Amino acid sequence: RAGTQLRHLPGKDAAGNFYYVDPRGVHRISADGRRQETLAAGFRNPNGLGVSSDGRIITVAPQQGEWTPSSALCEVRLDGYYGYGGPKVTPARPAGYDPPLCWIPHSVDNSSGSQVWVPPGSWGPFGGQMLHLLWGRCGLMLALRDSSNGPAQGAVVPLPGRFLSGPNRGSFNSRDGHLYVAGSTGWQTSAVKDGA
């Protein structure tokens, strides 16, 4: 929308670093555009990612399919490997992959979108929390995470309401505090419109 300012651009952190995900992994490009590094790999058909405003938490939601038994929400660890392509067992990775933040049943989230963080002080008790977009089911979930005992673990809680098309990306506007979401339709979505 003309004249709006996004509080936090998807895929960018407060330092101006840019993040993106593709079949090769999660990548970070420095704010000056001179350096690119791959942070983690092993994601099946990732459809977007999420970056907390401080850049400390990066999330990716791979799609269910080969080597990925169900939808998942992964909190990216440096040099992490999340299973797509088959197990790669090491002493530090005995299962052959790094576990996700949480698995999401296919009947609940058959195809994920990206994640977005609610700005602190906004949306009452949801301030500072992560939201997970459900592209296939045209919905939104609150993603809860606990990192008090070792690696972060999580769960998702469906939020009420449905989108007319599958939500892919979201961002909060700094002027009005609203969440703006862009969506589309496609294979195996419950969307009723091509875009919304």
Side-chain angles (χ1 to χ4, degrees), residues 21-99:
V21 63
D22 64 19
R24 295 173 296 123
V26 174
H27 315 282
R28 176 172 50 206
I29 298 175
S30 62
D32 62 9
R34 294 175 188 244
R35 291 178 316 281
Q36 186 253 332
E37 60 184 318
T38 299
L39 305 176
F43 304 103
R44 183 186 183 277
N45 296 345
N47 181 12
L49 55 74
V51 180
S52 62
S53 60
D54 61 9
R56 292 178 50 219
I57 302 171
I58 302 161
T59 55
V60 174
Q63 310 302 310
Q64 180 269 340
E66 313 150 308
W67 291 295
T68 307
S70 189
S71 296
L73 183 54
C74 298
E75 184 169 321
V76 174
R77 291 184 279 278
L78 187 60
D79 297 322
Y81 176 71
Y82 295 89
Y84 183 63
K88 295 181 180 178
V89 177
T90 67
R93 193 179 288 128
Y97 65 93
D98 291 307

Side-chain angles (χ1 to χ4, degrees), residues 103-195:
W103 293 104
I104 306 170
H106 191 66
S107 61
V108 175
D109 181 15
N110 70 322
S111 191
S112 303
S114 59
Q115 298 75 51
V116 62
W117 271 258
V118 179
S122 297
W123 283 29
F126 297 135
Q129 298 291 323
M130 181 185 357
L131 302 175
H132 175 63
L133 301 173
L134 308 175
W135 183 76
R137 301 287 184 228
C138 300
L140 180 67
M141 290 183 164
L142 176 65
L144 303 170
R145 59 183 295 280
D146 177 14
S147 59
S148 59
N149 282 330
Q153 299 181 56
V156 288
V157 179
L159 295 175
R162 300 254 322 180
F163 293 98
L164 295 175
S165 63
N168 281 321
R169 309 290 179 264
S171 188
F172 281 87
N173 183 294
S174 62
R175 291 187 183 180
D176 60 19
H178 297 316
L179 172 63
Y180 287 81
V181 178
S184 64
T185 190
W187 185 67
Q188 289 192 341
T189 73
S190 58
V192 296
K193 288 196 164 189
D194 288 338

